[in-house]
Amino acid sequence: MTMTAAPAISIAQTPPARARAVHRAELARLQELVATFTEQDWARPTDCEGWDVRQMLAHVVGACDGTLHLRVFLRHWVWAPKRRYPALAQLDAANQCQIDDRHDRSGAQLAAELADIGPKAVEAAGTTFRRRFRLPKSDPLLPGESLVYMCDVIAVRDTWMHRLDAARATSREFVIDGHDHEVVAQVVRDLGRHWAGPPVRLELTGPAGGVWTLGDASPVATVSVDAVEYMRTLSGRHDPHDTHAIHGTGDDAAITALRAARVVF
């Protein structure tokens, strides 16, 4: 039976209360994962260029710290990037500042800190300041986005993707449960918001997947791909020589556009 495809642009941004629930579930899965790591696992390289597993978790913990404490947030996003990393985009510079803060902490210490401040950061994400702040329109990665979007969408998918990075780096299972579909759907929403390619039917397979259309006309192609693998593609992590194919029928330009598409994680 053919599944009905909803337009990607019709997906609503996750409401704040639901975003908190999804983020709590994702942090719980990440905590379960890092609790299994050995000393050797923390030093393993990840799909994030230049980051090992420990550095990647330092970034996640640093992001939680910035959500929980206004002064830390301003230092990561406003003050330090201009001085330390003026050549980097604001998002990339903030990420590096988060890692710098915890350069001397072990993986076990970072795991303990995540368990302590992660849940607090989730609950702090709805404060008035964070609902009013907007990123500069000059930022090339997230121009003019509000901190509502950063807290309710980007922070959740960032944690999700880094859990996938860590699982892959350490050869652990990537556990998928009820909240993962919400993360994937929000990525598809952003893909649809900025889609400039031919109209296409996107079938994401697996328990976190779904079926959507991109573009405002009848699809000229149908593409089927594993949901988790396509999230890696959209984040820029997918190896072009990997055998995880994006299978498609119809217009070649639409299929090529899906392979080349990118979404901020």
Side-chain angles (χ1 to χ4, degrees):
M1 182 177 68
T2 302
M3 294 181 63
T4 301
I9 58 172
S10 71
I11 301 171
Q13 183 170 312
T14 308
R18 174 61 181 160
R20 302 289 85 73
V22 173
H23 206 172
R24 281 193 294 270
E26 181 51 41
L27 282 172
R29 297 291 82 75
L30 179 59
Q31 289 173 40
E32 291 169 1
L33 175 65
V34 301
T36 71
F37 290 171
T38 66
E39 197 64 36
Q40 291 75 24
D41 287 329
W42 291 110
R44 299 190 193 283
T46 70
D47 288 332
C48 299
E49 185 176 355
W51 291 4
D52 60 20
V53 173
R54 190 200 64 81
Q55 290 168 314
M56 192 187 65
L57 190 62
H59 152 62
V60 174
V61 174
C64 290
D65 194 13
T67 302
L68 189 59
H69 299 106
L70 175 58
R71 184 173 181 83
V72 174
F73 174 86
L74 291 174
R75 178 163 53 80
H76 288 166
W77 282 90
V78 180
W79 304 327
K82 294 177 181 178
R83 296 196 303 270
R84 295 189 200 171
Y85 304 106
L88 294 182
Q90 189 177 25
L91 178 61
D92 293 334
N95 290 345
Q96 192 57 53
C97 290
Q98 292 158 358
I99 294 173
D100 292 347
D101 279 359
R102 289 164 171 78
H103 72 277
D104 59 348
R105 299 186 192 179
S106 69
Q109 288 173 321
L110 290 169
E113 189 176 9
L114 178 70
D116 177 37
I117 72 171
K120 299 173 185 176
V122 171
E123 301 311 317
T127 65
T128 300
F129 165 75
R130 290 167 178 81
R131 304 250 148 218
R132 296 176 59 186
F133 185 87
R134 300 191 74 85
L135 297 179
K137 292 185 180 296
S138 59
D139 189 282
L141 294 178
L142 294 166
E145 293 288 3
S146 71
L147 210 58
V148 176
Y149 172 81
M150 290 291 294
C151 290
D152 294 356
V153 178
I154 291 294
V156 183
R157 79 169 55 146
D158 183 70
T159 305
W160 184 90
M161 181 56 72
H162 289 318
R163 176 167 66 93
L164 177 58
D165 292 334
R168 285 172 54 85
T170 59
S171 300
R172 301 301 203 278
E173 178 187 5
F174 181 66
V175 177
I176 295 177
D177 57 29
H179 78 281
D180 298 78
H181 176 78
E182 181 76 26
V183 176
V184 169
Q186 288 299 299
V187 176
V188 173
R189 174 182 183 267
D190 280 357
L191 178 63
R193 288 169 65 202
H194 303 290
W195 183 252
V200 60
R201 176 186 170 96
L202 177 62
E203 299 177 350
L204 297 183
T205 62
V211 182
W212 295 276
T213 57
L214 304 171
D216 56 4
S218 297
V220 297
T222 296
V223 170
S224 179
V225 59
D226 177 80
V228 174
E229 286 302 320
Y230 193 53
M231 296 301 100
R232 294 188 64 245
T233 296
L234 290 173
S235 72
R237 287 164 169 79
H238 187 76
D239 183 346
H241 303 295
D242 200 324
T243 57
H244 288 98
I246 295 178
H247 301 287
T249 59
D251 186 80
D252 287 341
I255 300 170
T256 298
L258 275 175
R259 290 194 180 108
R262 297 292 179 267
V263 173
V264 174
F265 274 76

